[in-house]
Every structure is written in structure tokens, then in C-alpha cells.
């Protein structure tokens, strides 16, 4: 909708009047052929009812409208208008292009947000300050937050139930596939391929890691440390069919010949520095998979992969 004509100083040229609302053009758009200009809101509403120009009835759609020429925009910008809040006592007369910035800070704006100075600190519209009650507003705010928390908890419970059901269904499917694999060679091949695909997808989801201090390697991690790493792997989506075997490979007793003693590790230092490693999420530990390390010799790799834990030095 346009600006009221009586808010402007001096006469207003007819070319600056919207034919629909009879106000001074606000955010104007122009018809492509006849070049009649209208307030954006006015012409949008008009075209939604009948796709014609309100002046000469030529066919028109909203996508055909375009901004008015710069000279017309400049004429509008230089016009002097009273503040929207003149009825509330604002005496300001300013150019139209400065109106928006003035309204944001106008002291006479009844809806200007102000902080409560009675103690609650809430920001409320100026015209509501007189009726404002800190205790009531804080109680309302608390109730609103409690309701949001209750809704969140309910949604979280529902999501947990859904995840639990999905895990149960997945376990049933895996048990079924395992049983079929034992009894049917064809199903055995299909199940094996599904597990390989699942493993490859999980490996692809892990972040590349760089070991900066190979001397920080813990070759004989204790049970507590192994449990922490295993939990992180499960949380990252590690397939259940490889988790135990993979974790078994975190101790040097299960490492391949090129790593399973301090002496061999020292001799092969230059080789294992070429490992392509994946990060165990959130831990100072890496995973080394054969599919990522086809360039490495056989004595440096093991299926389904290596778990290497460090005291420090993982980026």
C-alpha cells in the first residue's frame, strides 16, 4: 500500500500516485508495455484476482513487471514526508529514502522495543511498558520454555523408539541373512556382498587422519582403553560383523609381521609412515584398512583392518 498523500510537503505529481490505492508509490513496479506504475503490494494483490493492467486492462502477469526507471525512484527518494509516528508526537520531516532508517530508532514509535527496567530484563514494546508485570511475564516465559522442553523430550523419546525399532529390524534381517547364508550358497554370496558394501560405506564416512608422532603409538592398550575405542567405533556406525575382529587388531600380538614387534616397527618405520589412515571419531586413534592401502606390502596389512591407538600426535 502507498503512503498517504497528506503526509508529504507540497504538491505531489500525479505520476507518483498509485492508480490502485491513490497513495504515493511505495516500492513501485511498472507494467512492461503501457509503463503504468503501481505499489508492489497493490499490483500483486490486483493481479492475483485479474491479470490485467488496472488502468488500460492490457493483459499482464506478475513476472512481467519490472522496477520503475531510476529517475522516478530518485523523485520519490527526494520527497519529504512526515514520520509514521507523527500522531504520537514525532515532529520529524525527512526525505523518503531516509524514512526506514529513522523508524528503526524513532523515540515516538509505540512499538519500539525497550528493556524492562523493573528487574526482569525482558525486551517489550514501548506501549506495553505501563501494563508490564515482571512476575507474570517471567512466569509465562517459564511455562513456555517448560512446554518446549516437554515437547522436545517427547520427540526425543519417539526418535529413540524409532531408532530402537530400526536396530531391532536390522538385527533380525542380519540374523535371517546369516541363517540363509549357512544353508544356501547363493544367499551366502549375497549376504557377503551386503556386508562388504556396508563396510565400504562406513569406511567412506570416516575422516582422513594424519599421524604426526608415530612414537606415541600404544602397542599394548589395556582393556579400559580398548572399551573406549570400541564404543566410539560403534557410535560411528561400525558394522557389527567386523567390530570384534577389528578391535582384536588393536594389540601388537594381532598385528601383521611388519608391525608385531618393536624391532620390526623400527625397521619398517619408513613404510608405515605411508599408511592412509582414518580417524576414530573423537579419539587419538586411527584405522588402517586394506581397501585404502593397496600400495602397501602384505606384511604391513591385515583384514578387516588395523586399529592403532596413540597417546598423542593425531590430526
Amino acid at each position: 500500500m502507498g503512503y498517504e498523500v497528506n503526509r508529504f510537503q507540497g504538491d505531489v505529481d500525479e505520476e507518483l500516485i498509485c492508480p490502485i490505492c491513490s497513495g504515493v508509490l511505495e516500492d513501485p513496479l511498472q507494467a512492461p508495455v503501457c509503463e503504468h506504475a503501481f505499489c508492489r503490494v497493490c499490483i500483486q494483490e490486483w493481479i492475483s484476482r485479474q491479470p490485467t493492467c488496472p488502468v488500460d486492462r492490457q493483459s499482464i502477469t506478475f513476472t512481467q513487471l519490472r522496477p520503475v526507471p531510476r529517475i522516478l525512484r530518485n523523485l520519490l527518494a527526494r520527497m519529504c514526508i512526515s514520520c509514521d509516528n507523527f500522531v504520537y508526537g514525532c515532529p520529524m520531516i525527512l526525505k523518503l529514502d531516509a524514512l526506514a532508517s529513522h523508524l528503526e530508532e524513532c523515540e515516538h514509535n509505540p512499538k519500539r522495543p525497550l528493556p524492562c527496567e523493573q528487574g526482569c530484563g525482558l525486551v517489550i514494546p514501548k506501549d506495553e511498558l505501563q501494563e508490564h508485570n515482571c512476575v507474570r511475564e517471567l512466569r509465562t516465559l517459564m511455562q513456555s520454555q517448560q512446554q518446549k522442553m516437554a515437547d522436545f523430550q517427547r520427540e526425543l523419546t519417539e526418535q529413540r523408539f524409532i531408532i530402537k525399532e530400526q536396530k531391532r529390524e536390522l538385527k533380525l534381517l542380519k540374523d535371517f541373512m546369516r541363517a540363509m547364508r549357512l544353508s544356501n550358497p547363493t544367499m551366502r554370496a549375497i549376504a557377503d556382498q551386503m556386508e562388504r558394501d556396508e563396510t565400504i560405506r562406513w569406511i567412506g564416512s570416516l575422516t582422513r587422519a594424519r599421524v604426526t608422532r608415530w612414537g606415541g603409538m600404544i602397542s599394548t592398550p589395556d582393556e579400559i582403553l580398548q572399551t573406549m575405542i570400541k564404543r566410539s567405533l560403534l557410535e560411528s556406525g561400525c558394522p557389527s560383523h567386523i567390530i570384534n575382529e577389528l578391535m582384536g587388531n588393536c594389540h601388537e600380538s594381532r598385528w601383521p609381521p611388519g608391525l608385531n614387534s618393536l624391532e620390526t616397527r623400527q625397521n619398517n618405520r619408513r613404510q608405515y609412515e605411508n599408511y592412509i589412515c582414518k580417524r576414530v571419531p573423537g579419539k587419538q586413534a586411527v584405522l588402517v584398512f586394506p581397501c585404502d592401502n593397496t600400495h602397501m606390502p602384505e606384511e604391513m596389512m591385515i583384514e578387516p583392518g588395523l586399529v592403532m591407538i596413540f597417546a598423542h600426535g593425531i590430526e
Side-chain angles (χ1 to χ4, degrees):
M1 300 296 289
Y3 302 100
E4 296 178 17
V5 176
N6 58 13
R7 289 179 56 189
F8 291 85
Q9 288 190 328
D11 296 330
V12 178
D13 193 294
E14 289 186 3
E15 296 296 323
L16 304 180
I17 301 295
C18 173
I20 300 175
C21 69
S22 299
V24 175
L25 292 168
E26 180 177 4
D27 192 13
L29 293 173
Q30 188 179 60
V33 179
C34 61
E35 298 186 344
H36 292 123
F38 314 93
C39 300
R40 178 184 293 270
V41 173
C42 294
I43 193 62
Q44 280 182 325
E45 185 177 345
W46 179 280
I47 291 178
S48 67
R49 296 195 303 266
Q50 47 185 326
T52 59
C53 172
V55 179
D56 55 24
R57 304 303 177 183
Q58 290 192 54
S59 179
I60 187 176
T61 64
F62 183 73
T63 56
Q64 294 175 322
L65 297 171
R66 62 175 184 266
V68 297
R70 179 180 296 178
I71 187 171
L72 185 57
R73 295 199 300 271
N74 290 341
L75 286 173
L76 287 167
R78 289 197 293 265
M79 295 179 66
C80 293
I81 185 173
S82 61
C83 174
D84 291 12
N85 302 311
F86 71 94
V87 295
Y88 299 107
C90 181
M92 290 294 295
I93 303 293
L94 59 160
K95 293 189 182 298
L96 188 56
D97 62 351
L99 178 62
S101 59
H102 166 73
L103 290 175
E104 291 180 0
E105 300 184 3
C106 179
E107 296 182 357
H108 298 273
N109 181 3
K111 294 300 180 182
R112 181 187 179 194
L114 295 173
C116 171
E117 298 180 352
Q118 300 178 33
C120 71
L122 294 176
V123 177
I124 54 179
K126 179 180 177 180
D127 60 354
E128 296 180 17
L129 277 174
Q130 188 173 356
E131 301 296 328
H132 174 67
N133 183 296
C134 293
V135 175
R136 182 183 65 239
E137 294 297 332
L138 288 174
R139 182 181 293 117
T140 301
L141 180 61
M142 185 179 297
Q143 290 172 346
S144 174
Q145 293 301 319
Q146 288 175 341
Q147 183 61 49
K148 289 180 180 179
M149 182 62 71
D151 293 341
F152 174 76
Q153 291 290 350
R154 182 169 57 254
E155 183 177 349
L156 184 60
T157 301
E158 292 174 355
Q159 291 299 320
R160 285 175 175 170
F161 175 77
I162 292 173
I163 292 173
K164 183 178 179 180
E165 286 298 299
Q166 289 176 339
K167 287 182 176 179
R168 185 181 65 83
E169 293 174 1
L170 182 60
K171 183 178 183 304
L172 289 174
L173 177 60
K174 288 182 176 179
D175 290 344
F176 172 74
M177 295 299 293
R178 191 174 296 112
M180 293 297 293
R181 180 171 54 190
L182 294 175
S183 61
N184 187 315
T186 302
M187 290 301 297
R188 186 183 307 134
I190 294 174
D192 288 344
Q193 185 60 50
M194 289 177 62
E195 289 183 348
R196 283 194 293 271
D197 292 344
E198 182 183 7
T199 301
I200 292 297
R201 283 195 298 271
W202 172 66
I203 293 173
S205 71
L206 299 174
T207 304
R208 181 83 174 263
R210 186 168 73 93
V211 180
T212 59
R213 297 186 181 181
W214 287 97
M217 184 189 304
I218 302 174
S219 58
T220 56
D222 59 27
E223 186 175 346
I224 295 177
L225 189 53
Q226 292 185 46
T227 300
M228 291 172 56
I229 299 299
K230 183 176 182 178
R231 184 182 301 116
S232 294
L233 290 177
L234 288 171
E235 291 175 352
S236 73
C238 179
S240 59
H241 64 274
I242 67 167
I243 183 65
N244 291 329
E245 188 177 0
L246 192 61
M247 283 305 304
N249 294 344
C250 73
H251 195 285
E252 67 174 12
S253 62
R254 291 276 296 273
W255 285 353
L259 289 175
N260 60 9
S261 71
L262 179 59
E263 182 180 358
T264 55
R265 287 196 295 276
Q266 290 175 338
N267 292 335
N268 294 326
R269 175 69 177 267
R270 291 189 178 276
Q271 289 202 57
Y272 64 70
E273 286 181 345
N274 294 323
Y275 278 138
I276 293 177
C277 306
K278 297 295 181 65
R279 182 77 178 264
V280 176
K283 304 298 179 184
Q284 286 288 308
V286 299
L287 299 160
V288 182
F289 297 104
C291 61
D292 290 331
N293 291 274
T294 55
H295 59 288
M296 298 295 291
E298 290 185 7
E299 66 269 17
M300 301 296 292
M301 291 305 308
I302 191 172
E303 292 286 353
L306 285 166
V307 177
M308 307 177 79
I309 305 172
F310 293 79
H312 45 69
I314 304 297
E315 293 181 356

